[in-house]
Amino acid sequence: VPLTMEEAFENTNTKITLIIAQIGMTFTSLVTCFLIVQKYQLVLYEKRRQWSGLSTYDLIHHNNDQMKNRFEESYSFWLSGIRWRMLLELTIHICHPFININTSPVETLFGVLQAIVFVRMYLVVRLIFLFSEAFQARFDVVASNQDLQRTGFQVRARSTLVIVYYRYPVLFTALMTSAILLPFGFLVYLAEREEQPDPIRGFGRPESGYWFTFTTFTTVGYGDVVPKTVLGRLCAVIVSAIGVTIRILFGGVVTNLMVQSKEQRHVSEYLRIVRNSKECRHAAARTIQAIWRYYRKQSGDVVSFGKWEKAGHKSNTVYKAICEFKAYRWRLSQSQSTANDPVVDAMLNNVASGLTKMASEQHPQGVVVQHEENMINAFAAIDHFIEEVDSLLDSK
């Protein structure tokens, strides 16, 4: 059974360790709050710069009272949603457990403050977003596409996390699993340790809470430990639902990653054509061999063997070889027909027709459109490419 704070303070070493841990947690919480305030000051500055239409150069070199008032009045902090987000983050980081309140009357509050500490794991998601390649190159991404500039697109956390998830599906799934197991496992331990103090068949140790959360997350459910309180059962329901959702997301990402690209499909189709062509040649050789042996047997030049005996008007071996040759020849023709990409062919035809139309267009005053010669050359190159593809498919 875990020691109470009064029992722990009777041991000098334990008391010193708890005091050092309390100082470290309080100090890191205050530093984090200071950094959060600094972050939202930068966010407010960027919002005011966008809404006022003033550049950083104007604010530094042409700063006056009129420009300053325009800058500050363009975006109000107290009327925006930034204040609520900052207040929420400050509350999360200010609330942390204090060793002096772990007494019997307020022990529940101490447990709640312990659980709130795990909410700070959202900072891991923010770090992934800030250090991702998409966020680092956000300005280049928008500058390289005019459509993104017209729509005012910005690289946000949601789209960045999707990109990171597709690139590192296993690592990201492991991080999400840890982010679920750690807080909910501790919550189950806090909710059930008094109802089931047995360390083996109950929740007398934190490991039991984490083990139950893991089995619930994977929907295995061994049944060795079962929550009895309302909070413990609510955590079990939430963890089970999140576990099913994460597995579905992981399966969808892996399925999309397993879809072959155009180049990979081309390699697979080429290998299939080569394999079917080789099998067709072998089947043709076996057919010629069977017919030759059957002819030599009928002419009496060779000694008769049991399997070459005449059955009806044909040998069974010759008939089997002919059937195999027809099957392999049909398979080869199917692989050659599927090697064509109708989507790509349709796109090439559309490009060719579009270039033809653009090359034939003229200015209303009769002046030929600029770069007409380049368009005609491009059309000729695409037409030549289509002819080469058709000749290659015909040869196969």
Side-chain angles (χ1 to χ4, degrees), residues 173-284:
T173 303
L175 288 176
M176 288 194 298
T177 303
S178 302
I180 297 302
L181 296 183
L182 290 177
F184 281 98
F186 193 75
L187 276 177
V188 172
Y189 162 70
L190 293 178
E192 300 291 334
R193 62 180 179 178
E194 294 182 359
E195 293 288 336
Q196 306 180 62
D198 189 353
I200 305 299
R201 297 184 179 181
F203 293 89
R205 297 181 300 177
E207 295 85 359
S208 301
Y210 294 128
W211 168 250
F212 168 78
T213 307
F214 176 76
T215 56
T216 306
F217 180 85
T218 57
T219 64
V220 175
Y222 288 109
D224 49 351
V225 287
V226 180
K228 295 182 180 179
T229 62
V230 177
L231 179 59
R233 293 179 178 180
L234 180 61
C235 291
V237 173
I238 296 174
V239 169
S240 178
I242 295 176
V244 173
T245 304
I246 291 179
R247 288 202 306 275
I248 292 175
L249 292 175
F250 181 74
V253 170
V254 172
T255 302
N256 289 332
L257 293 177
M258 293 299 293
V259 175
Q260 290 183 333
S261 63
K262 180 182 176 181
E263 293 78 9
Q264 292 172 341
R265 289 197 304 270
H266 176 74
V267 173
S268 300
E269 290 166 357
Y270 175 78
L271 295 176
R272 184 168 64 251
I273 291 174
V274 172
R275 182 173 60 252
N276 292 335
S277 178
K278 183 178 180 180
E279 292 176 350
C280 186
R281 289 196 300 269
H282 290 175

Side-chain angles (χ1 to χ4, degrees), residues 53-64 67:
L54 299 175
S55 62
T56 306
Y57 179 83
D58 296 333
L59 295 172
I60 295 175
H61 297 279
H62 303 286
N63 191 5
N64 51 52
M67 187 176 295

